[in-house]
mmCIF file of all heavy atoms in Angstrom:
data_model
loop_
_atom_site.group_PDB
_atom_site.id
_atom_site.type_symbol
_atom_site.label_atom_id
_atom_site.label_comp_id
_atom_site.label_asym_id
_atom_site.label_seq_id
_atom_site.Cartn_x
_atom_site.Cartn_y
_atom_site.Cartn_z
ATOM 1 N N PHE A 293 25.180 42.038 -43.293
ATOM 2 C CA PHE A 293 24.425 40.892 -43.740
ATOM 3 C C PHE A 293 23.750 40.127 -42.591
ATOM 4 O O PHE A 293 22.903 39.294 -42.803
ATOM 5 C CB PHE A 293 25.340 39.931 -44.555
ATOM 6 C CG PHE A 293 26.230 39.087 -43.724
ATOM 7 C CD1 PHE A 293 25.956 37.733 -43.467
ATOM 8 C CD2 PHE A 293 27.407 39.591 -43.185
ATOM 9 C CE1 PHE A 293 26.809 36.969 -42.665
ATOM 10 C CE2 PHE A 293 28.233 38.812 -42.429
ATOM 11 C CZ PHE A 293 27.948 37.503 -42.242
ATOM 12 N N SER A 294 24.081 40.513 -41.345
ATOM 13 C CA SER A 294 23.464 39.856 -40.241
ATOM 14 C C SER A 294 22.656 40.909 -39.468
ATOM 15 O O SER A 294 23.235 41.963 -39.138
ATOM 16 C CB SER A 294 24.481 39.244 -39.315
ATOM 17 O OG SER A 294 23.873 38.952 -38.044
ATOM 18 N N SER A 295 21.445 40.660 -39.156
ATOM 19 C CA SER A 295 20.706 41.600 -38.313
ATOM 20 C C SER A 295 20.684 41.205 -36.860
ATOM 21 O O SER A 295 19.647 40.907 -36.285
ATOM 22 C CB SER A 295 19.278 41.793 -38.875
ATOM 23 O OG SER A 295 18.711 40.483 -39.058
ATOM 24 N N GLY A 296 21.876 41.085 -36.310
ATOM 25 C CA GLY A 296 21.986 40.777 -34.882
ATOM 26 C C GLY A 296 21.687 39.379 -34.497
ATOM 27 O O GLY A 296 21.285 39.115 -33.365
ATOM 28 N N PHE A 297 21.811 38.408 -35.419
ATOM 29 C CA PHE A 297 21.511 37.028 -35.124
ATOM 30 C C PHE A 297 22.306 36.473 -33.967
ATOM 31 O O PHE A 297 21.813 35.671 -33.199
ATOM 32 C CB PHE A 297 21.714 36.104 -36.407
ATOM 33 C CG PHE A 297 20.787 36.421 -37.516
ATOM 34 C CD1 PHE A 297 21.308 36.737 -38.763
ATOM 35 C CD2 PHE A 297 19.404 36.381 -37.312
ATOM 36 C CE1 PHE A 297 20.458 37.076 -39.800
ATOM 37 C CE2 PHE A 297 18.594 36.596 -38.395
ATOM 38 C CZ PHE A 297 19.036 37.081 -39.585
ATOM 39 N N GLY A 298 23.599 36.965 -33.819
ATOM 40 C CA GLY A 298 24.414 36.486 -32.778
ATOM 41 C C GLY A 298 23.813 36.849 -31.438
ATOM 42 O O GLY A 298 23.879 36.116 -30.454
ATOM 43 N N PHE A 299 23.234 38.051 -31.324
ATOM 44 C CA PHE A 299 22.668 38.555 -30.059
ATOM 45 C C PHE A 299 21.364 37.825 -29.802
ATOM 46 O O PHE A 299 21.074 37.458 -28.591
ATOM 47 C CB PHE A 299 22.612 40.018 -30.023
ATOM 48 C CG PHE A 299 23.954 40.678 -30.145
ATOM 49 C CD1 PHE A 299 24.217 41.403 -31.280
ATOM 50 C CD2 PHE A 299 24.899 40.541 -29.124
ATOM 51 C CE1 PHE A 299 25.542 41.979 -31.401
ATOM 52 C CE2 PHE A 299 26.141 41.135 -29.288
ATOM 53 C CZ PHE A 299 26.448 41.830 -30.432
ATOM 54 N N THR A 300 20.517 37.677 -30.799
ATOM 55 C CA THR A 300 19.277 37.047 -30.612
ATOM 56 C C THR A 300 19.551 35.522 -30.181
ATOM 57 O O THR A 300 18.671 34.987 -29.460
ATOM 58 C CB THR A 300 18.443 37.032 -31.906
ATOM 59 O OG1 THR A 300 18.394 38.350 -32.308
ATOM 60 C CG2 THR A 300 17.068 36.544 -31.666
ATOM 61 N N GLY A 301 20.671 34.935 -30.626
ATOM 62 C CA GLY A 301 21.011 33.672 -30.245
ATOM 63 C C GLY A 301 21.053 33.486 -28.714
ATOM 64 O O GLY A 301 20.790 32.367 -28.218
ATOM 65 N N ILE A 302 21.409 34.519 -28.072
ATOM 66 C CA ILE A 302 21.481 34.434 -26.548
ATOM 67 C C ILE A 302 20.024 34.226 -26.072
ATOM 68 O O ILE A 302 19.850 33.396 -25.214
ATOM 69 C CB ILE A 302 22.042 35.775 -25.977
ATOM 70 C CG1 ILE A 302 23.417 36.043 -26.451
ATOM 71 C CG2 ILE A 302 21.963 35.742 -24.458
ATOM 72 C CD1 ILE A 302 23.863 37.460 -26.209
ATOM 73 N N ALA A 303 19.090 34.885 -26.568
ATOM 74 C CA ALA A 303 17.739 34.709 -26.163
ATOM 75 C C ALA A 303 17.219 33.370 -26.485
ATOM 76 O O ALA A 303 16.550 32.688 -25.659
ATOM 77 C CB ALA A 303 16.784 35.812 -26.751
ATOM 78 N N VAL A 304 17.588 32.853 -27.644
ATOM 79 C CA VAL A 304 17.208 31.542 -28.145
ATOM 80 C C VAL A 304 17.762 30.522 -27.132
ATOM 81 O O VAL A 304 17.012 29.627 -26.673
ATOM 82 C CB VAL A 304 17.690 31.210 -29.559
ATOM 83 C CG1 VAL A 304 17.533 29.786 -29.947
ATOM 84 C CG2 VAL A 304 17.033 32.100 -30.540
ATOM 85 N N ALA A 305 19.050 30.545 -26.848
ATOM 86 C CA ALA A 305 19.666 29.501 -25.986
ATOM 87 C C ALA A 305 19.030 29.577 -24.568
ATOM 88 O O ALA A 305 18.748 28.506 -23.960
ATOM 89 C CB ALA A 305 21.174 29.857 -25.828
ATOM 90 N N LEU A 306 18.738 30.792 -24.080
ATOM 91 C CA LEU A 306 18.206 30.865 -22.712
ATOM 92 C C LEU A 306 16.757 30.288 -22.695
ATOM 93 O O LEU A 306 16.433 29.582 -21.758
ATOM 94 C CB LEU A 306 18.244 32.275 -22.201
ATOM 95 C CG LEU A 306 19.506 32.877 -21.905
ATOM 96 C CD1 LEU A 306 19.483 34.367 -21.602
ATOM 97 C CD2 LEU A 306 20.123 32.131 -20.638
ATOM 98 N N LEU A 307 16.055 30.631 -23.659
ATOM 99 C CA LEU A 307 14.663 30.087 -23.815
ATOM 100 C C LEU A 307 14.673 28.595 -23.876
ATOM 101 O O LEU A 307 13.801 27.928 -23.354
ATOM 102 C CB LEU A 307 13.906 30.742 -24.919
ATOM 103 C CG LEU A 307 12.356 30.514 -24.978
ATOM 104 C CD1 LEU A 307 11.692 31.033 -23.773
ATOM 105 C CD2 LEU A 307 11.789 31.142 -26.220
ATOM 106 N N ALA A 308 15.565 28.073 -24.565
ATOM 107 C CA ALA A 308 15.753 26.574 -24.760
ATOM 108 C C ALA A 308 16.365 25.955 -23.524
ATOM 109 O O ALA A 308 16.577 24.733 -23.585
ATOM 110 C CB ALA A 308 16.558 26.398 -25.948
ATOM 111 N N LYS A 309 16.639 26.716 -22.529
ATOM 112 C CA LYS A 309 17.322 26.183 -21.310
ATOM 113 C C LYS A 309 18.601 25.455 -21.746
ATOM 114 O O LYS A 309 18.967 24.449 -21.215
ATOM 115 C CB LYS A 309 16.408 25.236 -20.560
ATOM 116 C CG LYS A 309 15.115 25.817 -20.172
ATOM 117 C CD LYS A 309 14.985 25.939 -18.697
ATOM 118 C CE LYS A 309 15.000 27.363 -18.240
ATOM 119 N NZ LYS A 309 15.162 27.487 -16.857
ATOM 120 N N ASN A 310 19.250 25.996 -22.844
ATOM 121 C CA ASN A 310 20.531 25.449 -23.231
ATOM 122 C C ASN A 310 20.421 23.965 -23.751
ATOM 123 O O ASN A 310 21.476 23.283 -23.840
ATOM 124 C CB ASN A 310 21.613 25.604 -22.197
ATOM 125 C CG ASN A 310 21.770 27.016 -21.780
ATOM 126 O OD1 ASN A 310 21.753 27.892 -22.624
ATOM 127 N ND2 ASN A 310 22.061 27.243 -20.545
ATOM 128 N N HIS A 311 19.237 23.505 -24.118
ATOM 129 C CA HIS A 311 19.124 22.199 -24.677
ATOM 130 C C HIS A 311 19.177 22.285 -26.184
ATOM 131 O O HIS A 311 18.410 23.061 -26.804
ATOM 132 C CB HIS A 311 17.793 21.577 -24.244
ATOM 133 C CG HIS A 311 17.735 20.100 -24.436
ATOM 134 N ND1 HIS A 311 17.589 19.665 -25.789
ATOM 135 C CD2 HIS A 311 17.784 19.070 -23.629
ATOM 136 C CE1 HIS A 311 17.586 18.298 -25.725
ATOM 137 N NE2 HIS A 311 17.711 17.946 -24.426
ATOM 138 N N PRO A 312 20.131 21.527 -26.772
ATOM 139 C CA PRO A 312 20.294 21.634 -28.215
ATOM 140 C C PRO A 312 19.019 21.416 -29.088
ATOM 141 O O PRO A 312 18.820 22.075 -30.077
ATOM 142 C CB PRO A 312 21.358 20.628 -28.562
ATOM 143 C CG PRO A 312 21.880 20.175 -27.286
ATOM 144 C CD PRO A 312 20.986 20.587 -26.160
ATOM 145 N N ILE A 313 18.234 20.487 -28.702
ATOM 146 C CA ILE A 313 16.998 20.245 -29.420
ATOM 147 C C ILE A 313 15.975 21.347 -29.131
ATOM 148 O O ILE A 313 15.239 21.811 -29.982
ATOM 149 C CB ILE A 313 16.421 18.889 -29.125
ATOM 150 C CG1 ILE A 313 17.517 17.761 -29.417
ATOM 151 C CG2 ILE A 313 15.186 18.556 -29.958
ATOM 152 C CD1 ILE A 313 17.988 17.688 -30.793
ATOM 153 N N GLY A 314 15.980 21.732 -27.855
ATOM 154 C CA GLY A 314 15.045 22.883 -27.577
ATOM 155 C C GLY A 314 15.377 24.193 -28.199
ATOM 156 O O GLY A 314 14.478 25.038 -28.428
ATOM 157 N N VAL A 315 16.674 24.308 -28.764
ATOM 158 C CA VAL A 315 16.973 25.464 -29.468
ATOM 159 C C VAL A 315 16.107 25.602 -30.768
ATOM 160 O O VAL A 315 15.820 26.688 -31.190
ATOM 161 C CB VAL A 315 18.525 25.324 -29.887
ATOM 162 C CG1 VAL A 315 18.857 26.209 -31.036
ATOM 163 C CG2 VAL A 315 19.385 25.750 -28.632
ATOM 164 N N ILE A 316 15.640 24.440 -31.357
ATOM 165 C CA ILE A 316 14.985 24.520 -32.552
ATOM 166 C C ILE A 316 13.580 25.167 -32.428
ATOM 167 O O ILE A 316 13.327 26.216 -33.133
ATOM 168 C CB ILE A 316 14.787 23.136 -33.228
ATOM 169 C CG1 ILE A 316 16.265 22.508 -33.517
ATOM 170 C CG2 ILE A 316 13.971 23.119 -34.492
ATOM 171 C CD1 ILE A 316 16.146 21.143 -33.984
ATOM 172 N N PRO A 317 12.767 24.801 -31.494
ATOM 173 C CA PRO A 317 11.541 25.519 -31.357
ATOM 174 C C PRO A 317 11.738 27.019 -30.895
ATOM 175 O O PRO A 317 11.036 27.947 -31.318
ATOM 176 C CB PRO A 317 10.727 24.806 -30.285
ATOM 177 C CG PRO A 317 11.692 23.752 -29.721
ATOM 178 C CD PRO A 317 12.753 23.516 -30.670
ATOM 179 N N ALA A 318 12.715 27.136 -30.026
ATOM 180 C CA ALA A 318 13.010 28.535 -29.537
ATOM 181 C C ALA A 318 13.388 29.486 -30.794
ATOM 182 O O ALA A 318 13.013 30.664 -30.864
ATOM 183 C CB ALA A 318 14.121 28.496 -28.520
ATOM 184 N N ALA A 319 14.220 28.873 -31.693
ATOM 185 C CA ALA A 319 14.725 29.685 -32.818
ATOM 186 C C ALA A 319 13.489 29.998 -33.773
ATOM 187 O O ALA A 319 13.434 31.008 -34.350
ATOM 188 C CB ALA A 319 15.823 28.918 -33.546
ATOM 189 N N LEU A 320 12.623 28.939 -33.830
ATOM 190 C CA LEU A 320 11.423 29.150 -34.647
ATOM 191 C C LEU A 320 10.629 30.247 -34.143
ATOM 192 O O LEU A 320 10.084 31.103 -34.881
ATOM 193 C CB LEU A 320 10.580 27.936 -34.742
ATOM 194 C CG LEU A 320 11.136 26.843 -35.751
ATOM 195 C CD1 LEU A 320 10.437 25.460 -35.531
ATOM 196 C CD2 LEU A 320 11.072 27.307 -37.179
ATOM 197 N N LEU A 321 10.457 30.393 -32.814
ATOM 198 C CA LEU A 321 9.700 31.467 -32.196
ATOM 199 C C LEU A 321 10.285 32.822 -32.574
ATOM 200 O O LEU A 321 9.641 33.691 -33.099
ATOM 201 C CB LEU A 321 9.634 31.262 -30.644
ATOM 202 C CG LEU A 321 9.005 32.481 -29.977
ATOM 203 C CD1 LEU A 321 7.452 32.542 -30.175
ATOM 204 C CD2 LEU A 321 9.277 32.503 -28.464
ATOM 205 N N PHE A 322 11.599 32.964 -32.346
ATOM 206 C CA PHE A 322 12.223 34.221 -32.631
ATOM 207 C C PHE A 322 12.357 34.497 -34.135
ATOM 208 O O PHE A 322 12.243 35.649 -34.567
ATOM 209 C CB PHE A 322 13.598 34.262 -31.990
ATOM 210 C CG PHE A 322 13.554 34.502 -30.581
ATOM 211 C CD1 PHE A 322 13.934 33.525 -29.644
ATOM 212 C CD2 PHE A 322 13.071 35.802 -30.043
ATOM 213 C CE1 PHE A 322 13.811 33.761 -28.311
ATOM 214 C CE2 PHE A 322 12.998 35.920 -28.676
ATOM 215 C CZ PHE A 322 13.349 34.928 -27.720
ATOM 216 N N GLY A 323 12.421 33.342 -34.948
ATOM 217 C CA GLY A 323 12.446 33.492 -36.377
ATOM 218 C C GLY A 323 11.097 34.051 -36.825
ATOM 219 O O GLY A 323 11.021 34.922 -37.727
ATOM 220 N N ALA A 324 10.021 33.507 -36.224
ATOM 221 C CA ALA A 324 8.681 34.037 -36.604
ATOM 222 C C ALA A 324 8.519 35.472 -36.224
ATOM 223 O O ALA A 324 7.921 36.253 -37.056
ATOM 224 C CB ALA A 324 7.604 33.167 -35.907
ATOM 225 N N LEU A 325 9.016 35.895 -35.093
ATOM 226 C CA LEU A 325 8.896 37.280 -34.641
ATOM 227 C C LEU A 325 9.680 38.176 -35.715
ATOM 228 O O LEU A 325 9.110 39.208 -36.117
ATOM 229 C CB LEU A 325 9.560 37.449 -33.271
ATOM 230 C CG LEU A 325 8.720 37.040 -32.070
ATOM 231 C CD1 LEU A 325 9.556 37.202 -30.764
ATOM 232 C CD2 LEU A 325 7.489 37.793 -32.024
ATOM 233 N N ALA A 326 10.820 37.725 -36.096
ATOM 234 C CA ALA A 326 11.648 38.472 -36.995
ATOM 235 C C ALA A 326 10.965 38.534 -38.370
ATOM 236 O O ALA A 326 10.947 39.573 -39.052
ATOM 237 C CB ALA A 326 12.971 37.935 -37.161
ATOM 238 N N ALA A 327 10.389 37.358 -38.864
ATOM 239 C CA ALA A 327 9.740 37.341 -40.150
ATOM 240 C C ALA A 327 8.492 38.161 -40.144
ATOM 241 O O ALA A 327 8.166 38.798 -41.175
ATOM 242 C CB ALA A 327 9.452 35.886 -40.499
#
Side-chain angles (χ1 to χ4, degrees):
Chain A
F293 80 101
S294 163
S295 47
F297 294 122
F299 298 111
T300 309
I302 300 165
V304 170
L306 289 171
L307 188 60
K309 305 241 111 195
N310 301 322
H311 192 289
I313 303 300
V315 159
I316 298 173
L320 282 171
L321 173 71
F322 285 111
L325 284 175

